[in-house]
Amino acid sequence: EAYMNTGVQASGATPTYAHTTTTPAGKISLGEKQNKKDMPAIAMAHGLSYVATATVGFPLDIAAKVKRSLTFPGPKYLQILVPCVPGWGYETNLSVKLGKLAQQTGIWPVFEAIDGKIVSAMKVPPNPPQVSEYLKLQKRYEHLFKSEEGKKIIVEIQKLADWKIEKFSLRS
């Protein structure tokens, strides 16, 4: 089963400060206000035997995780970051690059957990790209680059990515 948000409206899976049709960025708002739900953590808290994340930037990783998930009993959860051309507002040829940048910046940790414990995680490069490199390719974040307040938010998003790098031990 898969979840998609075809109307480009905000949902529990929408990252903070993203522009959507129901949380538009403008004079009144800088986009989505709520924090994105950590669905893998929720799945782990519910005792699923296998939980993993992946991104379209690494298709062989996806295939390996699907195959591995089939070796575990009961329900499993695999969350795959798949960019959305109309929702994110980017050039179609950048899908794989966005998937890779999400992982490499630390904003999207790629990991596997068995029985609630993280057992492996894909490391970021020795000098990870700044999260702004990921954000600037997406129209849903272009408003952040246009004001001082938005630039401060980009710094906060970078701090979140850095925190995830530490939390998931993503450094080599």
Side-chain angles (χ1 to χ4, degrees), residues 107-127:
I107 203 70
W108 184 266
V110 173
F111 66 88
E112 287 183 293
I114 297 173
D115 295 326
K117 182 176 180 173
I118 295 175
V119 296
S120 68
M122 189 180 291
K123 303 298 184 189
V124 298
N127 295 305

Side-chain angles (χ1 to χ4, degrees), residues 10-161:
S11 75
T14 302
T16 312
Y17 299 111
H19 168 91
T20 73
T21 56
T22 55
T23 59
K27 293 179 182 179
I28 298 173
S29 170
L30 285 172
E32 175 59 39
K33 297 257 188 275
Q34 295 183 358
N35 290 327
K36 178 180 180 169
K37 288 183 182 177
D38 187 345
M39 294 305 296
I42 293 169
M44 289 173 13
H46 281 271
L48 275 64
S49 59
Y50 182 82
V51 174
T53 62
T55 165
V56 296
F58 304 96
L60 296 177
D61 179 61
I62 296 170
K65 286 175 177 168
V66 168
K67 186 175 180 180
R68 186 163 188 207
S69 74
L70 297 174
T71 68
F72 291 88
K76 282 78 68 174
Y77 183 82
L78 175 57
Q79 185 168 322
I80 305 170
L81 177 73
V82 180
C84 171
V85 174
W88 293 20
Y90 69 92
E91 297 297 322
T92 57
N93 64 328
L94 296 177
S95 293
V96 170
K97 181 176 183 171
L98 281 167
K100 287 182 179 182
L101 277 171
Q103 182 278 325
Q104 292 169 346
T105 60
I107 203 70
W108 184 266
V110 173
F111 66 88
E112 287 183 293
I114 297 173
D115 295 326
K117 182 176 180 173
I118 295 175
V119 296
S120 68
M122 189 180 291
K123 303 298 184 189
V124 298
N127 295 305
Q130 293 293 298
V131 76
S132 60
E133 296 300 308
Y134 172 69
L135 301 177
K136 74 180 179 183
L137 299 175
Q138 306 170 53
K139 285 186 182 178
R140 67 183 180 155
Y141 290 113
E142 70 183 352
H143 59 284
L144 298 178
F145 292 89
K146 295 178 179 178
S147 70
E148 289 307 311
E149 186 179 3
K151 291 174 186 171
K152 289 178 185 175
I153 290 168
I154 292 170
V155 169
E156 292 304 312
I157 297 170
Q158 180 65 56
K159 287 178 184 177
L160 174 63

